[in-house]
């Protein structure tokens, strides 16, 4: 990721399909605070993420959010 724009609501979809922007913002805030937790970094790597956003993306994936291609 060269740009944090890819970490906005528009760049994600929810697996359940029933979470909207409000829920995304809550989950994103939590994951931003917890992105440096070792467990999130490990999960992120297991999901195939690399780079500085690994912990954040791992946390978001656990909450049901996936990046849109």
């Amino acid at each position: 990721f060269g740009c944090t724009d890819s970490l906005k609501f528009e760049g994600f979809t929810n697996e359940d399909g029933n979470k909207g922007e409000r829920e995304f913002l809550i989950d994103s805030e939590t994951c931003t605070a917890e992105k440096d937790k070792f467990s999130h970094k490990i999960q992120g790597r297991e999901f195939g993420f690399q780079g500085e956003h690994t912990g954040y993306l791992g946390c978001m994936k656990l909450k049901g959010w996936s990046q849109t291609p």
Side-chain angles (χ1 to χ4, degrees), residues 4-63:
T4 57
D5 287 343
S6 61
L7 301 179
K8 292 183 178 179
F9 174 70
E10 294 80 18
F12 285 83
T13 57
N14 187 265
E15 293 173 7
D16 300 334
N18 60 357
K19 285 188 173 183
E21 187 169 6
R22 183 176 185 280
E23 290 85 0
F24 172 84
L25 293 173
I26 292 167
D27 289 345
S28 181
E29 186 176 315
T30 300
C31 288
T32 297
E34 297 180 358
K35 68 182 178 182
D36 293 327
K37 282 189 175 181
F38 186 69
S39 60
H40 291 312
K41 289 184 178 186
I42 294 297
Q43 276 303 147
R45 288 186 193 114
E46 288 179 359
F47 289 132
F49 302 122
Q50 297 178 356
E52 66 179 298
H53 300 298
T54 300
Y56 173 84
L57 294 171
C59 178
M60 290 297 280
K61 184 77 171 172
L62 290 172
K63 293 185 176 293

